[in-house]
Amino acid sequence: MEVRIRLLGSPGVEVDGARVVPSLRKAEGLLYYVVAEGRASRERLATLLWGDRDEESAHNNLRNALYLIRRALPEGVLLCDRRDVTLCRERVLRDLDDLPRLEDPAFGEWRGLCGEFLDGFEVPESEAYGEWLRGARDRIRGRLREGLRRRSGACYDSGDGQGVEGALEALLQLDPFDEDATLELLECHVARGNPGRAFDLFRSFRARLREELDLAPSPRAEEVFRRLLLRGEGRETPSPDRPLFFGRDEEIRTILETLGRERPRPLAVHVWGEAGVGKSALVRRILSRTASEEQLPLCGRAFEVSRDRPFSPWNDLLGHLGRSVDLDRLDLDPLRVSLLAGAFPALDRGRRRTATFEHAALFPEANPVMLGEILAEVLDRVAEVRTPVLFLEDLQWFDDLSLTLLGALLAHASRPWTLFLTRRSEAVSPSRRQLQRLAREGVVELREIPLAPFDPPQTLAFCRALLDEETIALRGEDFFYRQTQGIPLLVVELARALRENAGGEDPRGLAGILAGRYGELSEPQKELLDALSVFEEGATQEDLGALLGGDALERARVAESLLRKGLTEEGLEEGEGCPVLRFHHQRIREYVYEAMPAFKRQELHRRAAERLEGICGPQNWNPSLSARLFRHFARSGQGEKELALHLREMRLHIILNHELFPLLPDGVLLSCSTPFSDRPDTEQKLDQVRELLHRLNRAQPGSSRITALEASYLELRGGYLIAWGAYKEGRHFLDRSLRLARREGLGPVQLRCLQHLCYHGLQTDQPGLLIPHGREMLRLARELGRDASVGAALRFLGVARQLGGDFDGAVRIFQRSIEVFRGLEEVGNPHTLGELAAENYIGEVLHWSGRLPEALERFETCVDRCEEKGLFWGCSLFHSNAASVALDLGDPEGAARHVERATELFERCQGGRSGSMLYSLKALMEGKAGRYAEALTALERGELLCAPIRKKSWSSVHLLAKALLGERMERDPRAREAWGGVLTRPARDYAREAASLFDALGARLRAASLRERFGLDRD
């Protein structure tokens, strides 16, 4: 039988592959001692493990332990006589016996020997055993260190760099404070082309010394680190076919030394200079020098069109983050993560979220400031696992919101991650002023790197790496600086032009150089470059095909020829993984674009817009795609289409963000994701639409098409104002829209206006508004054949009956609404949410009339239907209503369960709107559980959602929560301390106000319960 005993690492005994363990820990410890020492006297063993017992008891315990060991092992492994206990070495395979082989590079199983002796094993009752164990560990650790050093040396002598790395890494596992081993491993990483690993190793070593020993690396170690990190810079030269990085030794040295220093705050490396000077190339060179698995590179880039697209460079960067990190696994507030994902859809690629205006209402701070704060928290959490390294290109094209977000991000970051920024030189730079201010305030460490063109000797050296000496001699050494002024981009393009046409005329500047190169191209190459120039961010094969037509393989061959000439480069479309063709540099794209005749540019933009129209559906929110389509419409002179797209997107936005039950088919709802946007965002977009509308009206006065678009704009603006609770202003815009719609015969616009007016009555619980507008909406919807609107109008009329106290009449009308939506499902056009909305109101009627079990069943059925269909909207509200009923049924556990689920869905933007009732009920649950801070947060969030709308059914529940929490506060000092700043009135006042609202709504049982509990009838 084969017996293996492992003492290095986690100890264990195996007999023929099966693990065996003596049943007593001291017996196991005795076995390990004898295996390690080879022989021990009975006297020594008794004293070692039972030294606190008398002699007879100690020896009795020893005999029992030996019996257990011998029973677990094959006969003859442990030899016992009256004096000693001995291990039979011939019968046992012991890992300790392999230690001499550790230094042999040919020994492949060496890593198994590098664990701590008896790792994790202790006999806490025996002080003597612990003393022996500490000594044995020190001795064996010393043997391991010596063996690993010899192994490292042997691997070095044989040229096995990987073996050297492995041995040194194992050595540092044993002693992480070994400075010599650290420096040797640094040298090895750099020699093997892994400077990023060297960078991370020394930073970790420095941090470990500081945190655990309050020490710093020696000056010698710091100097070696700097020397190794800078080794080899400036030696690499470009090849003729593919220019590599050249020069910039001093800038690289400055940046690397800055990166290598310890710092308590984020570092911003700001590289600026004129176009083509090599800013991005320098940063990429640094990133390649410091890249490692411990770093997480995140890149974002702005384009000239980005100025009209809020946050666009951040969306790209967060797309990288979303593909690299599972944010759900981080310890983060899900609501804050959802809001970040709502603002940046690339963060959440593949997941549907349904951000609504209620989510925005919970965060009344300025949007970019809040988003910057959330992003800082996310990156700080990510930094606990991998250090983020951000790279933002072309700061000069950042929109104002993106710059504000950058400032907020740096202001709230608490970990020392790194941010690289590039910017074209400008006389006045808001971004530079912002960075300098943050540096003065101590928020960020700023290193500014101005990048100048090459001087004449550097320019000539660069050209010598690109061209043969004959060409240089033919033109003269000063020719190259004269033509390029030392701009690296111009040097590269000049060299390419000379290689392609050595005898051509001398070009002047970039335009001259590119004109020469462009003139040498074939017509298909020119056509492809012209088409590519209208796509700032690059174009896919399909994009180019839509503009040029022809055979795809032929276009691919032309594209390949342009790649070989260095005019273009290949990349991947952000988030999609599709190959895209881009210009090698934006300056080249700008030249090609401006050189085209204006009529050709306009036609190419028209075709590009036509291509994007086919793939840009408003229900799938993609701000990058929309912005490109808007740009192509504008550049091709299609103002009407631009305005219509704005209105179409905003129409879907108001439905998804503001309607409690969006009136959309299931197919649309199941494919939708919606952005986070607050009121200022939306008003800004509406103002942009208004300006575009004014321009079109001036250009085409009296146009019926523009009038129809104007009516739609007024309807949308009025609808938003109603949703925000600005009822007087909203009615003003809706009345104007209605007049235009009736005059021009715009039935769909008129129908949407009536729906907004019904929402006014719904939000304010006014049957006097719901009845006339609901009836007119019902008549018009039937005339237009809009069955879904018929069902919605019936629902509005049912609510009017409900608010008037006619519960039976309300249920009859709700049933008619349900039948309409079921009829739509019969013909393959399901509107499940429309049907469930009426079911929800029937549940409310049952609740208000005291039929609590039936009400609970109704709401839970609504939840089940939503989950069965995969619909988000409605789920949070249905759970909240179910929780409210469970509370009245005296089932706090059921109420808490529904509140927890409603909160989870809402805060992950996967439950639609919930109204303020969710957080009012959550405040009650948290207060009842004694979680005072959580109750306060919930109460404040309920207030934020309740106050603007002033809906009686929500206000009554919120006042109920205040009354019950106030009641607890009056007898609980801790509650009074936590909630006193919010609950400023006596609990009975809140109860009285709540009871009055419940009475007005017809919920008399709940009103009576409140009066009885607070003794209000005695007033």
Side-chain angles (χ1 to χ4, degrees), residues 40 332 352 594 643 681 806:
L332 294 163
R352 288 190 298 131
E594 294 299 331
L643 179 57
D681 284 341
D806 180 5

Side-chain angles (χ1 to χ4, degrees), residues 939-991:
L939 195 64
E940 290 173 336
R941 288 180 173 178
E943 190 75 32
L944 286 169
L945 295 177
C946 184
I949 304 300
R950 303 186 296 279
K951 184 173 175 63
K952 292 176 186 175
S953 55
W954 294 356
S955 298
S956 59
V957 176
H958 195 60
L959 288 164
L960 168 67
K962 286 184 170 183
L964 296 178
L965 291 173
E967 184 182 46
R968 175 166 184 150
M969 191 177 77
E970 289 168 0
R971 63 175 188 273
D972 183 343
R974 289 182 61 195
R976 187 158 51 251
E977 181 182 352
W979 308 331
V982 174
L983 301 177
T984 56
R985 294 160 53 194
R988 295 182 80 240
D989 285 1
Y990 293 124

Side-chain angles (χ1 to χ4, degrees), residues 113-163:
L113 303 178
C114 297
E116 179 78 279
F117 178 70
L118 296 186
D119 191 23
F121 183 83
E122 303 287 342
V123 182
E125 319 83 84
S126 174
E127 185 177 337
Y129 191 91
E131 187 177 341
W132 167 80
L133 191 55
R134 287 189 292 275
R137 283 173 175 164
D138 286 342
R139 288 193 303 276
I140 291 173
R141 200 179 293 123
R143 290 181 64 188
L144 286 170
R145 279 200 295 266
E146 184 61 28
L148 287 168
R149 287 189 183 283
R150 291 181 177 178
R151 182 180 186 85
S152 171
C155 290
Y156 181 84
D157 292 340
S158 65
D160 180 6
Q162 186 175 356

Side-chain angles (χ1 to χ4, degrees), residues 843-1006:
E844 280 191 6
V845 168
L846 294 170
H847 185 190
W848 292 3
S849 57
R851 296 159 64 182
L852 302 182
E854 295 174 70
L856 182 61
E857 182 181 4
R858 185 77 59 158
F859 291 131
E860 288 181 340
T861 299
C862 289
V863 168
D864 292 342
R865 286 284 306 281
C866 269
E867 291 180 349
E868 175 190 332
K869 291 269 191 174
L871 293 168
F872 291 161
W873 283 268
C875 268
S876 289
L877 179 68
F878 299 148
H879 274 294
S880 300
N881 282 335
S884 184
V885 177
L887 197 66
D888 286 349
L889 278 168
D891 179 12
E893 290 79 13
R897 185 173 64 253
H898 280 293
V899 165
E900 182 179 354
R901 182 61 177 151
T903 305
E904 179 186 1
L905 289 168
F906 177 78
E907 293 188 350
R908 293 188 183 280
C909 292
Q910 293 180 328
R913 288 184 57 190
S914 69
S916 63
M917 187 165 57
L918 165 59
Y919 284 105
S920 303
L921 294 172
K922 183 173 174 60
L924 280 178
M925 301 296 105
E926 300 290 5
K928 184 180 179 68
R931 292 188 286 267
Y932 302 101
E934 291 83 350
L936 178 61
T937 298
L939 195 64
E940 290 173 336
R941 288 180 173 178
E943 190 75 32
L944 286 169
L945 295 177
C946 184
I949 304 300
R950 303 186 296 279
K951 184 173 175 63
K952 292 176 186 175
S953 55
W954 294 356
S955 298
S956 59
V957 176
H958 195 60
L959 288 164
L960 168 67
K962 286 184 170 183
L964 296 178
L965 291 173
E967 184 182 46
R968 175 166 184 150
M969 191 177 77
E970 289 168 0
R971 63 175 188 273
D972 183 343
R974 289 182 61 195
R976 187 158 51 251
E977 181 182 352
W979 308 331
V982 174
L983 301 177
T984 56
R985 294 160 53 194
R988 295 182 80 240
D989 285 1
Y990 293 124
R992 184 179 297 105
E993 196 172 341
S996 176
L997 286 177
F998 283 128
D999 272 335
L1001 292 167
R1004 294 182 178 82
L1005 290 176
R1006 186 169 261 184

Side-chain angles (χ1 to χ4, degrees), residues 295-317:
Q295 293 185 350
L296 177 63
L298 304 169
C299 303
R301 183 179 182 184
F303 296 88
E304 189 171 7
V305 70
S306 301
R307 288 172 166 167
D308 300 322
R309 284 170 38 196
F311 303 126
S312 65
W314 291 104
N315 195 50
D316 291 346
L317 185 145

